[in-house]
Amino acid sequence: MKNKIMDMSTLDKRLLKELDDYINSLDGDKQEHLILVLHKAQELFGYLPQNLQLYVARKLNLSSARVNGVVTFYSFFNEEPVGKYRISVCMGTACFVKGADKVLERVQDLLKIQKDRISEDGLFTINDVRCIGACGLAPVLTVNDKVYGKVKPNDVDDIIRYYRGLENENS
Amino acid sequence: MKIASYQELKNWQKKCQNNKNYKINVLVCTGTSCLSSDSQTLVEMLESALESHNLQVEIKVIKTGCFGFCGQGPMIKIEPDEITYVKVKVEDIEDIVENHFLKNTTVKRLLYKEPGQTKLLEKSSEMQFYKKQMRVALRNCGEIDPENIEDYVLNDGYFALAKVLENYSPDEVIKIIKDSGLRGRGGGGFSTGLKWELTRKSPGNEKYLICNADEGDPGAFMDRSILEGDPHSVIEAMIIAGYAIGANNGLIYIRAEYALVTERLRRVITDARKYGLLGKDILGSGFDFDIEIKLGAGAFVCGEETALIRSMEGFRGEPDKKPPFPSQAGFRGKPSNVNNVETFANIPVIILNGAEWFAKIGTKKSKGTKVFSLVGQIRNIGLVEVPMGTTIKEMIYDIGGGHPEEREIKAIQIGGPSGGVITKEYFDTQIDYDSLVEMGAMMGSGGIIVMDEDTDMVQIAKFYLDFIQDESCGKCTPCRIGTKRMYEILERLVNMEGSPEDLNSLRTLGRIIKDTSLCGLGQTSANPVLSTMKYFPEEYEAYAYKTKKTKYSIDPKKCVGCTKCAKACPVECIEGKIREPHIINESECIACGSCYEVCPVNAVIKP
Ligand SMILES: Cc1cc2nc3c(=O)[nH]c(=O)nc-3n(C[C@H](O)[C@H](O)[C@H](O)COP(=O)(O)O)c2cc1C
Ligand code: SF4
Ligand code: SF4
Ligand code: SF4
Ligand code: FES
């Protein structure tokens, strides 16, 4: 009986090869590099589904429970798919005292999803981060690597419209 | 090219000097804040404009780390005259090139003015923001190209290392650091020299030197700015520390959120290896040392040193009981020395200028300077370095410029999620390790959040507790369950569903969690609540006794009747004739705050 979510044959072979090469390039005790390997895996696949975790476990000769324990401990790792545009609202203290909670609320309202969820069209995910070091611009929101500073709740509409627009252009 | 002695370093420095044939340097801040305001585009436009006028042979554009005055960014400083332009936009580049460089006239409209004054200030050193500062750890930030090792060497970079390797035994280095009085900048404030000595004396010949670059305090960005603006100083200090404690391996544990910094560090480390400053037989001394980078993955508790070590070993970052201390059994079970980024940034200058020089700065028990990130309801948001002993008043009024809208500042919060508040009555307090603890706050890593009369202290406490219970690793019950219970009580209170007994429960729970948690996170988790309860009991009582006002209102004495609020109100519950005081119909107000935002004379009163 084969567990479907554990089926490693559905993973992209080309990306796995890249992951293998990366693991082989690491010096020293490979098990110690688990977190680094998971970073790479997430960078390649976008998130860390169960079967990918199992793959990493086999590769490093670790139990899958150990790998899953690490994945669930660190908030940077996602077990669920993430959107093409990752909207992160900074909820660091500097941003909070400048009304970041209102910004987060607005993003959630507009996209009709809660944080840590993906929008129905698969385009957006929302999450909160703790200080990205741009407190001078508080409140701050990022979409992938682009930083938006001094964001007012109303600005969120424009930002999301902009990315929706990009999509329409593409299609 | 490998540099193999002090003399060779000296020769190299001379050569770097000769390589510098530019008459003018244009320093552009590319710290995170300014980058977000497009300073990268400014650099590119400046370069192409200079080239089109054939000026690139005389004028060099340098991308630097954070200038510190983030509120005025992006900033451009032109050396040697030190003319500083603030809030520079893409449209201004033409003007700067045309007038400043071609016609030799200053672009007046881009100069800085102190608020409420008309005098234009040409130089950054004339600005109030910089006058009371003393830049030791930040000495090179905003002054050099952080990725250019020659820039660093020109500013006496790696000379402290050369001096150490040529003249001092490890014990002599430790003595200098001990005599300087330097204490750890990561929060605890433990004597750095003493820590080095403990690790040196620990038996074993395999030891590790670790740099803690996890910077978990939300709202603090000094370590990031140092690594971004002057990474070589941290590398140099780590080599010196490695030599002192007897370690050949260094590790930097850095937050995953700091991806750009990580890339920069990798490049800088490669450069240092190329010149024989890292690797085997450093500067021909026979001492070997190299550095590896370890990535975090978004867990605040990993800033705690034992958790950090677990995480570096590839495990869940759960803290361990101390003892054994890392200096006895740390990374891979071997003696390890953990220091904070800013602690390291101080080391090279102490070696070059001497322990007495450093010990003269600061207060009796807190020596040197401290970097703070000054944020919140304050005019001059930014990164500030001051001598220990500077008062809070000087910090927020002289340097910070007070409240941006001249409202009253009621308190500061210092020390992040482990810290506490200091109210305006105590703004004469000198900032150093011990006086802050006396006040029920703590230095922490140096985040200062300024709060005005409108800030709801219960909400602030709830914010920190939300953070803490989110970040609790769950290993011990008081921290895991206790902070959750406290959070639930606060939530009940702010929803007006609480009762006066809740206040007692908060205090009792806080005390228990403090006494019974395993690591610093749990032990200090109740501080923000307990400290705000102590200084702002009335704000808690207003919620507990349900007397808290929840609707907005208008002060008829201040209102000038401009009608702006009435136009902004989404439920149209504000009435009034033009040029007459307006009134809010409180029963319909949904407390959206729009009126408060638009009022030009601050007549709207926040609940
Ligand atoms: C919950 C918690 C979080 C911490 N976070 C950090 C941090 O982000 N950066 C840091 O340098 N030290 C942090 N520390 C302190 C470290 O455990 C350690 O004391 C410090 O890195 C030692 O360096 P220093 O002596 O140079 O200050 C934290 C401690 C606790 C309890
Ligand atoms: S006090 Fe909290 S963070 Fe520290 S070990 Fe216990 S549960 Fe984990
Ligand atoms: S807070 Fe909002 S709803 Fe209430 S009066 Fe002001 S604008 Fe109207
Ligand atoms: S915006 Fe302010 S000044 Fe204008 S009518 Fe409203 S309360 Fe009065
Ligand atoms: S708190 Fe939001 S960027 Fe620092």
Side-chain angles (χ1 to χ4, degrees), chain B residues 392-405:
Chain B
I392 297 172
K393 209 175 246 157
E394 290 171 297
M395 178 72 102
I396 57 184
Y397 291 103
D398 298 345
I399 298 172
H403 193 281
E405 286 134 36

Side-chain angles (χ1 to χ4, degrees), chain B residues 184-186 195 212 214-216 303-305 338-340 343 520-521:
Chain B
R185 302 297 195 238
K195 196 189 273 184
N212 187 344
D214 195 46
E215 189 149 68
E304 195 282 332
E305 53 192 13
V338 184
N339 277 124
N340 163 264
T343 312
L521 188 146

Side-chain angles (χ1 to χ4, degrees), chain B residues 128-143:
Chain B
Q128 280 297 333
F129 179 77
Y130 289 107
K131 272 193 187 157
K132 286 213 169 160
Q133 292 200 46
M134 178 173 187
R135 300 195 137 211
V136 176
L138 298 175
R139 61 196 174 281
N140 290 325
C141 287
E143 303 289 337

